[in-house]
Amino acid sequence: MPLAIFIIVVMGGLALAISRNVAQTTNSAVQSIVSIQAFYAADTGAQWGMNRMFYDTSATLTRAQVDAGCNAVHGQSLSFSTSGLNNCQTQLSCSVSTDPSNTTSYYVISSAAQCGDAAISSQRSVEVSAFMR
C-alpha cells in the first residue's frame, strides 16, 4: 500500500510538471507569433511612408516635394484589418535634415508597431533612411 501511494504521488507530480511545461510552451509560441506580427506591421509602416514620400505620379520628383511628403508622413497612424496584421497599430515619424551646402536632403522614417492585446502583446520598431540630391 505505501508503494502504491508513492507511485500515485510521483505520477501526479510528473503530470503536473508536464502540464505546466505545455502551458509555458504554448504561451511562448503565441508570444513569438505576436512579435513577428509586430515586426511586419512596423516594416509595412516604414514601406508605406517611403512610398508616400518617393513614389509620386508626377514626372519629376523634387526635393521640396519629398520634404513635404516627409512632413505629411510624420505623425501618421496606421491600423491594419488584413488577416495576419489585424489587432496591430503603427505610429510613424519622419525627420529631414540637409547637408551644410543644402544640396542633399536626408530622411529618416521611424515606424513603431504594437500588436496583441492586454494579455499578450509585442512592440517592434523599424527605422529606414534615404537621401535625395
Side-chain angles (χ1 to χ4, degrees), residues 19-122:
S19 173
R20 285 186 178 176
N21 190 15
V22 167
Q24 289 175 347
T25 301
T26 301
N27 285 342
S28 177
V30 171
Q31 180 64 45
S32 177
I33 290 169
V34 172
S35 179
I36 291 169
Q37 285 177 324
F39 169 75
Y40 282 117
D43 187 55
T44 300
Q47 290 180 23
W48 182 86
M50 292 293 271
N51 183 34
R52 294 290 177 190
M53 288 171 48
F54 287 103
Y55 297 106
D56 193 356
T57 57
S58 64
T60 304
L61 193 62
T62 65
R63 277 181 48 211
Q65 288 174 314
V66 178
D67 290 352
C70 181
N71 292 330
V73 165
H74 185 74
Q76 290 286 326
S77 180
L78 303 176
S79 296
F80 301 97
S81 60
T82 184
S83 98
L85 291 181
N86 54 349
N87 204 16
C88 293
Q89 301 281 330
T90 301
Q91 188 71 29
L92 298 171
S93 65
C94 184
S95 63
V96 60
S97 60
T98 58
D99 63 344
S101 61
N102 198 20
T103 58
T104 306
S105 292
Y106 299 94
Y107 308 96
V108 177
I109 295 178
S110 297
S111 175
Q114 179 174 353
C115 293
D117 56 14
I120 296 178
S121 66
S122 182

